[in-house]
Amino acid sequence: SRPPNPPEDVTTTTATPTTTTTTVPVRDVPETADEIQQLIRDIWPDDLEERAIEIAFRESRFDPRAKNFCCYGIFQIYWSVHRSWLADLGVTSDEQLYDPETNITAALVLYERAGGWGPWGF
């Protein structure tokens, strides 16, 4: 037996699958020592930036991916000790401290919270 013919006033359509690609803009991330130093100069107050650059070099050699047993990024922020107030900056994962701008900004806030260079042993 044959299937019945559809009524003449019915339109049949076939959906064609489509692929949508979303391009997320990639932020320029500083990679060279000069770019890291410039970012420190941009974020830190002028009267503190030279000492901040010295500390960043000592702590990480300006390597945003620097890590030891406790600390992350350019300024070697101690994640487990500072995670409660870092959340106020939107830092909710230790991985975020590998972002140079985030780490440098967090270091300035840490400096202000501590009233000086104490967190870096001074």
Side-chain angles (χ1 to χ4, degrees):
S1 112
R2 295 174 52 194
N5 290 334
E8 292 195 25
D9 63 340
V10 173
T11 304
T12 304
T13 60
T14 304
T16 304
T18 60
T19 303
T20 303
T21 303
T22 303
T23 303
V24 177
V26 176
R27 194 176 82 183
D28 288 335
V29 176
E31 294 182 12
T32 69
D34 289 340
E35 291 172 321
I36 297 296
Q37 289 177 58
Q38 185 58 55
L39 192 55
I40 293 169
R41 290 181 195 288
D42 292 345
I43 293 172
W44 282 71
D46 291 344
D47 61 327
L48 300 174
E49 65 189 23
E50 290 305 319
R51 187 68 182 133
I53 287 170
E54 290 172 11
I55 289 171
F57 178 76
R58 185 195 73 199
E59 295 294 317
S60 68
R61 304 290 190 257
F62 304 123
D63 180 0
R65 303 295 297 173
K67 181 183 184 307
N68 63 26
F69 73 96
C70 66
C71 303
Y72 297 80
I74 295 167
F75 279 90
Q76 291 293 280
I77 306 289
Y78 200 147
W79 168 249
S80 65
V81 170
H82 301 294
R83 70 188 300 170
S84 62
W85 66 263
L86 284 167
D88 296 338
L89 299 178
V91 179
T92 57
S93 162
D94 56 8
E95 292 282 318
Q96 289 174 275
L97 292 172
Y98 291 130
D99 174 77
E101 186 174 349
T102 299
N103 192 281
I104 293 167
T105 300
L108 176 57
V109 172
L110 178 55
Y111 171 88
E112 292 168 344
R113 290 173 58 92
W117 302 109
W120 294 278
F122 296 103

